[in-house]
Amino acid sequence: MKIKVAGVGLTKFGEIWDKSLLDLALEASKEAISDSRLALSQIDAVFVGNMLIGKIAGQDHLGPVIASSLGLSCASFRIEGACASGGLAVHLAIQGILAGTYKNILVVGAEKMSDAPITQITWALMGAGSSKERKAGLTFPALYALMAEAHMQKYGTTRKQLANIAVKNHYHASLNKMAQYPFEITVEQVLESSLISSPITLLDCSPITDGAAAVVLSADDSKKGVYITGSAVASDTIDLAERESLTELKATQIASKTALKQAGVEIKDIKIAEVHDCFTIAEILAMEDLGFCSPGAGGKFIASNATRLGGKCPVNTSGGLKACGHPVGATGVKQIIEITQQLRETAGQRQVKNANIGLTQNVGGTGATVVVHVLQN
Amino acid sequence: MSSPVTVWRHHKNIKNYLGKTGKIVVWTKIFIAPAGFEHEAPYPVAIVEFSPSAGSGLVTDRMPLQLVEYEEKHLKPGQKIVTVVRKLGKVGLDKVIEYGIKGKPV
């Protein structure tokens, strides 16, 4: 597999009061098309990753909304897979190119979350959970809190180890002008912030974010550039309680194994990664499930600074979902953009030296959907 | 909130989960609640493990349950739980009240 990331476009992430979802999607899309140096007429499909806009603004049927606003009459689709909607849209666009149906596809992930009150967003996000979870009054912070508790019980992972992840990702975001929270925080601030769902505090959580991210994927492999060489999706039970283990995401293990095999590389070859740190515990699970460290060792591994900028394998140099922000439908696409910028050596202050192979992991729900991509230059 | 026919269909299944005993695997206390549950926050929710039903083919049978009539000392792994029927969330005066299964420490 060799799919070129021909162009990238990204809006500022944050509470963007003066722009609608369509404004954000068009801004990112036009930048990506311009960056690709393709003419608009050469785009032959539009894939849109989005989870929430139908629930919070009543606007479904998003594919043609965005395609027609760009002046395109080509095929257009909306892809929904909870917080993995963006990664799924990239994966499906790749399949469309590999099948020979399309040659140049615009993939845009977009979400507009700050227009709705917090209780409505919390309720809408629980659409990614099970009926039993909704009836129990669970929320996504609570579901990840249950996984954190299970990890603490089984492996002795500490609150401070969780807080270290938020501190690291805020440091990375402080170097990223597109991040929602481009400033540093301390371990003490994380530990002392208000409880959302014990043991998870406010600063363990990714925020509610507006933003859009777009890439143009192309079948053209004639020139030097950044290419997606592995792309895989795996599924698990929608209900966390039904899993064999509460301390691992089986879908991450399956999808990463497949994507790495497609790319012909091993996890030890990965120089940089963007993983789904929707809550701090999620980055620990990602490190373990992807094979960067052994099960139970994630907290210590991250505390060793191996995944901080300057470490052996920097993780979430964008600031991750935690500090760059998490406009859920855009996140999986933004991860592709961050790795592309690193491999192009255009990441500025947060540039990782000699980065030539990168990986993204995008999670839907509590791991019912996981998308993994491998990128190389 | 659920429509009347959805509530009616859900209520027909409640009996299948009633009076079961199990134990807490993990628990959390929720301070920021979703719509319909705000008035109950903070409230604990646990993943509770039950012995699997005969012929189910399951090694374990777990489900998430909101805990009711608890004391702080009950919030621990291994705590014995019995399932009970209670009102779910809060609905407007013109809506159908939905009941469901919750967990009570014993």
Side-chain angles (χ1 to χ4, degrees), chain A residues 6-246:
Chain A
V8 300
L10 185 67
T11 68
K12 168 78 176 168
F13 279 12
E15 294 181 349
I16 315 292
W17 300 109
D18 59 338
K19 291 179 182 173
S20 68
L21 180 136
L22 184 59
D23 294 332
L24 294 166
L26 294 180
E27 180 182 325
S29 297
K30 288 174 182 174
E31 185 185 339
I33 294 167
S34 171
D35 185 49
S36 73
R37 299 178 188 276
L38 292 170
L40 183 63
S41 59
Q42 289 177 278
I43 301 295
D44 46 20
V46 177
F47 284 53
V48 181
N50 173 266
M51 178 188 178
L52 297 170
I53 198 68
K55 275 186 171 176
I56 61 180
Q59 179 62 73
D60 290 311
H61 210 178
L62 208 54
V65 169
I66 293 173
S68 63
S69 297
L70 286 166
L72 290 167
S73 302
C74 59
S76 61
F77 310 88
R78 174 194 173 194
I79 293 98
E80 191 281 318
C83 301
S85 298
L88 275 183
V90 171
H91 175 79
L92 289 172
I94 289 169
Q95 308 315 307
I97 292 172
L98 290 175
T101 308
Y102 308 112
K103 190 175 178 189
N104 301 305
I105 298 180
L106 171 69
V107 184
V108 53
E111 211 72 68
K112 181 69 186 172
M113 302 172 76
S114 70
D115 285 357
I118 182 68
T119 50
Q120 191 186 355
I121 285 289
T122 305
W123 165 81
L125 288 168
M126 273 309 293
S130 73
S131 169
K132 286 179 184 172
E133 289 167 345
R134 285 188 290 276
K135 289 186 190 307
L138 277 164
T139 61
F140 266 93
L143 286 161
Y144 277 87
L146 290 168
M147 287 193 271
E149 279 288 345
H151 208 273
M152 288 169 156
Q153 280 178 33
K154 188 172 181 180
Y155 297 116
T157 297
T158 66
R159 279 290 300 123
K160 189 176 176 186
Q161 287 172 340
L162 294 175
N164 280 332
I165 295 158
V167 170
K168 170 185 71 77
N169 290 344
H170 269 263
Y171 165 63
H172 290 166
S174 73
L175 306 173
N176 183 1
K177 66 179 182 180
M178 306 306 269
Q180 182 165 3
Y181 298 139
F183 53 81
E184 295 193 62
I185 59 172
T186 65
V187 167
E188 290 71 30
Q189 284 177 303
V190 180
L191 297 178
E192 290 168 10
S193 61
S194 54
L195 272 172
I196 301 298
S197 188
S198 60
I200 284 182
T201 68
L202 179 65
L203 293 181
D204 284 301
C205 304
S206 58
I208 286 169
T209 309
D210 305 327
V215 294
V216 173
L217 302 182
S218 175
D220 179 11
D221 62 358
S222 61
K223 297 172 188 168
K224 189 182 173 189
V226 175
Y227 290 88
I228 297 176
T229 54
S231 176
V233 181
S235 304
D236 202 344
T237 62
I238 195 89
D239 193 325
L240 175 66
E242 292 177 6
R243 308 255 173 90
E244 287 176 28
S245 170
L246 300 177

Side-chain angles (χ1 to χ4, degrees), chain A residues 137 196, chain B residues 29-34 36-44 66 70:
Chain A
I196 301 298
Chain B
K29 189 179 278 187
I30 296 173
F31 291 80
I32 304 296
F37 287 83
E38 305 97 317
H39 65 294
E40 296 186 63
Y43 56 89
Q66 184 179 350
Y70 70 95

